[in-house]
Amino acid sequence: MAPVTILQVVPRLDTGGSELATLEIAEALTRAGAKALVVTEGGRMAKAIVQGGGEVIEMPVASKSPLTMWKNAGRLARLIRERDVDLIHARSRAPAWSALIAARRTRIPFVTTYHGAYGELGPIKAFYNSVMGRGDLVIANSRYTAHLMESQRGVSQDRIRTIFRGVEGAVFDPISVPPGPVAKLRERWNVSPDSKIVMQAARLTGLKGQRDTIEAAALLYREGALDGAVVIFAGDAHDKDAYREELLGRIKSHGLEDKIKLVGHCADMPVAFLTSHVALVPSLVAETFGRTSIEAQAMGCPVIVSSLGALPETIVSAEESPERFTGWLVPPANPTALADRIRIALALSAEDRSEIGMRARAHVAASFALSQMQQKTLAVYDELLGTDLTSKFLNPPSLLAGSPP
């Protein structure tokens, strides 16, 4: 019997939640003995797809030109026929339109994943966005996203499958990080070994709340509550150079040059979170998930997140359970409240912080394991195709055959 062939379509393979999920599912399909094809314009993660056993096929699927999208539909339909593709899975709007047309032409199942909250700026934009709700089954990455799909797109509950994002426990594991990388990272950032790091890992954009973090740090600095601590902004500016300069100006105006550091992109986030005392996700707009939050918790780092969108779903808040909490909720756009939560976190004893960290790791392992996300996504494919990819993922064919994994 020919192996199952799944085609994922994503605009580019640079950085981001949809790109990483594409890689993770390609690896899961390979483990299950299926063929994993990825259509994309390319990007830095393309090599990882191939290394994980998948195949990358370049196509101009990032284009929003109606003509290019129409041509892509034809290209995808030909690819589906030539490679005997069983199912197509789209993760972004422009390629989803091409994928939908191709799926209908070739009569194969069509799956979409909602990775973001899409703005509604009028009937044309609403129609453009609607493709993400047209899958035979539609995957939501949080309960918040599932609600958006139902309320905005009119997707019936029976077509929605809520599957949380996951983190790789073998990568985000404090035990797997030796002391050397931690010391080197602090040295590179010019942070002393005994300083408490307040980490905000996010691209530099106003929607991520860096301005509020600076104002909160200024409040703490004036009262001496930031003594022995430093705030790290880890993230690229991309095309937001003016915003980066604005942040530097705000830092200077408050006299916080020694207290807030912009370190750019960090390639080793497990190490960064392990060396951090607390992580911040003070977003000003609703996030549809919040990967940073679960990555930090997986490394035993407590978190402070905005009470917006899906972010509250990633933690056990103090309001929800004072005995089990793994992080704090903070109202968005409220530097005073953010300062209060940071003050509490910085004042934790080593024992109390360690206990919160242990609970945080257990919380992530129970609800946000990568293997759970992979299994549940393969189960969506199985549901539509009548296959047994999930079973083969749990018991890989190579292992059953007695060959090395």
Side-chain angles (χ1 to χ4, degrees):
M1 181 182 294
V4 176
T5 301
I6 304 295
L7 172 59
Q8 297 183 84
V9 188
V10 65
R12 288 194 58 79
L13 284 168
D14 289 318
T15 59
S18 61
E19 293 89 341
L20 186 55
T22 302
L23 169 61
E24 292 164 345
I25 294 306
E27 291 174 342
L29 287 166
T30 299
R31 177 182 170 89
K35 290 184 179 179
L37 308 183
V38 176
V39 165
T40 179
E41 287 198 0
R44 70 180 73 171
M45 295 175 64
K47 184 178 180 181
I49 295 283
V50 176
Q51 291 174 336
E55 180 181 346
V56 173
I57 301 164
E58 293 194 2
M59 195 178 292
V61 288
S63 174
K64 296 181 181 179
S65 161
L67 178 59
T68 302
M69 290 161 62
W70 180 257
K71 290 181 178 179
N72 285 338
R75 296 180 182 113
L76 288 171
R78 286 193 296 274
L79 180 65
I80 289 168
R81 295 187 182 102
E82 291 170 359
R83 302 297 296 273
D84 293 324
V85 172
D86 295 288
L87 179 149
I88 189 166
H89 184 171
R91 298 180 178 277
S92 185
R93 291 165 292 177
W97 278 109
S98 304
L100 172 62
I101 296 168
R104 297 301 179 252
R105 287 180 184 176
T106 56
R107 299 174 182 251
I108 67 169
F110 173 58
V111 172
T112 57
T113 292
Y114 248 65
H115 286 284
Y118 307 113
E120 302 284 311
L121 300 177
I124 295 177
K125 189 63 174 290
F127 176 75
Y128 176 66
N129 294 344
S130 70
V131 69
M132 299 309 293
R134 297 182 184 223
D136 298 308
L137 290 178
V138 182
I139 297 172
N141 59 358
S142 66
R143 290 187 291 271
Y144 170 77
T145 307
H147 174 73
L148 284 181
M149 290 161 52
E150 187 177 6
S151 61
Q152 290 185 357
R153 297 275 73 81
V155 182
S156 59
Q157 289 187 9
D158 64 306
R159 285 197 297 122
I160 299 173
R161 302 293 180 269
T162 301
I163 304 175
F164 291 128
R165 296 296 312 282
V167 295
E168 176 55 77
V171 175
F172 285 86
D173 183 351
I175 297 177
S176 68
V177 179
V182 171
K184 288 180 179 178
L185 188 64
R186 282 179 170 264
E187 183 179 354
R188 185 161 69 246
W189 289 346
N190 195 25
V191 175
S192 64
D194 57 345
S195 290
K196 295 178 179 178
I197 292 178
V198 179
M199 168 62 67
Q200 184 166 346
R203 70 184 187 276
L204 297 185
T205 170
L207 300 179
K208 294 297 184 180
Q210 286 95 354
R211 294 187 185 99
D212 290 339
T213 300
I214 293 172
E215 296 306 312
L219 292 171
L220 294 169
Y221 180 67
R222 286 196 290 269
E223 65 184 56
L226 209 56
D227 292 347
V230 62
V231 177
I232 295 290
F233 287 154
D236 282 336
H238 296 294
D239 58 348
K240 305 284 186 180
D241 290 335
Y243 178 65
R244 184 178 189 279
E245 292 303 313
E246 177 197 332
L247 295 181
L248 290 172
R250 286 173 177 262
I251 291 167
K252 183 176 181 180
S253 69
H254 287 298
L256 294 170
E257 294 96 324
D258 294 332
K259 287 296 181 182
I260 302 180
K261 299 177 183 291
L262 278 65
V263 300
H265 175 70
C266 178
D268 198 342
M269 288 313 301
V271 174
F273 286 131
L274 182 61
T275 194
S276 298
H277 189 81
V278 63
L280 311 181
V281 193
S283 300
L284 301 182
V285 296
E287 303 270 4
T288 52
F289 186 61
R291 187 179 183 89
T292 300
S293 173
I294 62 169
E295 288 180 345
Q297 291 176 81
M299 296 306 293
C301 181
V303 294
I304 301 171
V305 305
S306 289
S307 54
L308 274 179
L311 285 171
E313 297 178 41
T314 65
I315 70 170
V316 179
S317 68
E319 293 83 356
E320 179 183 350
S321 175
E323 298 81 18
R324 297 187 302 109
F325 83 97
T326 65
W328 298 268
L329 295 174
V330 63
N334 191 327
T336 301
L338 180 58
D340 288 342
R341 304 304 190 279
I342 296 173
R343 185 187 301 106
I344 292 171
L346 290 176
L348 290 171
S349 68
E351 292 77 14
D352 287 343
R353 185 195 172 281
S354 177
E355 185 176 336
I356 296 172
M358 290 174 61
R359 293 200 300 264
R361 279 187 47 71
H363 169 60
V364 171
S367 301
F368 303 107
L370 173 59
S371 61
Q372 290 182 16
M373 185 277 281
Q374 291 171 318
Q375 289 176 46
K376 290 179 180 180
T377 302
L378 296 187
V380 170
Y381 302 158
D382 286 339
E383 186 175 352
L384 290 169
L385 297 173
T387 50
D388 58 350
L389 293 172
T390 308
S391 174
K392 290 179 177 177
F393 172 78
L394 294 172
N395 301 284
S398 61
L399 297 181
L400 292 175
S403 59

